[in-house]
Amino acid sequence: MFDIQEIRSQFAILNQKVNGKPLVYLDNAATSQKPDSVLEVCKQYYTELNANVHRGIHTLSQLATEEMELSRKKVQKFINAKHDFEVIFTKGTTEGLNLIAYILTQKLKKDDEIIISYLEHHSNIVPWQLLCERTGAKLRVIPIDENGILQLEYLDQYLSEKTKVVSVNQVSNALGIVNPIEEIIARTRKHSDAYIVIDGAQSAPHFSIDVQKLDCDFFVFSGHKMYAPMGTGILYGKQSILEELPPFHGGGEMIATCSFEKTTYATLPFKYEAGTPNVGGNIALGAAIDFIEKVGKDNIQRHENVLLEYAQKQLLEIEGLKVYGEKAERVGVVSFNLEGIGISSDVGMILDKMGVAVRTGHHCTQPIMDFFSIAGTVRASFAVYNTFQEIDLLVEGVRKAQKMLA
Ligand code: 7TS
């Protein structure tokens, strides 16, 4: 097992007071903090290595390129992609999903169908609505039951030769529910040739990912939710699909030849990486993967699960507190409201005064909030560095908020 104090000592930001109280950072589903090793790589990049990649004959450019390509290989291993060129650097999950929805435009026609689920973040809803507007395709949505669990019998009903895309998240950001993506992929493959897209924004920080075993066509995630800098993310796509589909952005680096008459495109992954990438960030993403692997993904997951269980048990002892998705399999998130207190941000503000950082509101998942007929929830989300004492402070804060707002 790991030494939690030793881990915390690697995150200087945690060692500060907010509103006069020790910071309790429980907003990790929004973004995680970054360990010293990642910050050090960022600093080192800008103090020793900064140069544009893939284009210079000079030494710094070559070194920066080598480091970034090394990081790509780390990501390849992290998600078990077959080839490193199937790993595309993006600025995050949102960009990855928009990229996929854009490059699939020519593959869809009027009355084709795109299946998503009720549990999606807006960034796995809106890009598909835009695709529907461009093509005349229709969106179908797998419903949830009162526990927030996907009702997969609807997926079976919806799947047909009209289905061109199935795009779901592996873990819901608002509720932390783990969706049965293996089952969703198996059922989809059985009944259609649809492209399968997995939003891994909330699973990559917690689970081991194996894109070959999953047999998805695309898998996207953000670096900043897994200890890497903001502005980093990954789009994985199967070689044959990325080779066949058109580019997204046009510009430098993504061409093989360019003339006014005709432009030909670079090979993978560069075809999808137009313009100057976030070189320092992409290198630091490799350092974040090193951090995760050093601690051990299984250890991280076990620790977060114990925290979740501990938090949920204590929170449920508070009278009138409802946890959304309480009975579903979940990871890293507890999302709740207090009876009679309609505005989750009121609770969030009182917690903030006590140094406890949580997210409140709809969490970019308005359809889930509509389903439960609420405006928002209070969401605490955990990472490797959180402790039982921090959860005690959360619970104490929620009890205090309840008294103050009653
Ligand atoms: N998909 C899921 C499941 C997410 O949780 C998020 C971000 C995104 C997509 C978009 O990721 P981005 O890195 O491109 O912004 N989720 C959250 C959240 O729960 N609170 O803040 C951001």
Side-chain angles (χ1 to χ4, degrees), residues 27 29-31 91-95 97 121 123-124 169 171-174 199 201-202 222 224-225 359 363-364 379:
D27 193 18
T31 198
K91 67 183 171 72
T93 307
T94 305
E95 186 181 48
L97 290 166
H121 186 278
S123 68
N124 199 23
N169 63 38
V171 172
S172 146
N173 68 308
D199 171 352
Q202 297 293 345
S222 300
H224 71 92
K225 294 183 198 288
R359 185 168 172 185
H363 315 296
C364 301
R379 182 187 71 178

Side-chain angles (χ1 to χ4, degrees), residues 215-230:
D215 191 28
C216 52
D217 298 312
F218 298 99
F219 188 98
V220 290
F221 57 100
S222 300
H224 71 92
K225 294 183 198 288
M226 43 173 275
Y227 312 109
M230 287 192 175

Side-chain angles (χ1 to χ4, degrees), residues 18 32 46 79 103 140 157 168 186 197 199 217 231 234 245 250 263:
V18 169
S32 68
Y46 283 108
I79 58 171
I103 65 178
R140 308 208 73 173
Q157 258 182 49
V168 290
V197 183
D199 171 352
D217 298 312
I234 295 296
L245 291 171
T263 291

Side-chain angles (χ1 to χ4, degrees), residues 269-296:
F270 310 113
K271 174 180 163 186
Y272 289 105
E273 290 183 355
T276 300
N278 179 0
V279 182
N282 294 342
I283 295 171
L285 173 57
I289 290 175
D290 291 341
F291 167 79
I292 290 172
E293 285 174 352
K294 198 162 165 220
V295 181

Side-chain angles (χ1 to χ4, degrees), residues 122 173-174 344 359-366 368-369 375-377:
H122 296 163
N173 68 308
S344 56
R359 185 168 172 185
T360 59
H362 58 61
H363 315 296
C364 301
T365 56
Q366 282 192 357
I368 301 180
M369 303 301 131
T377 71

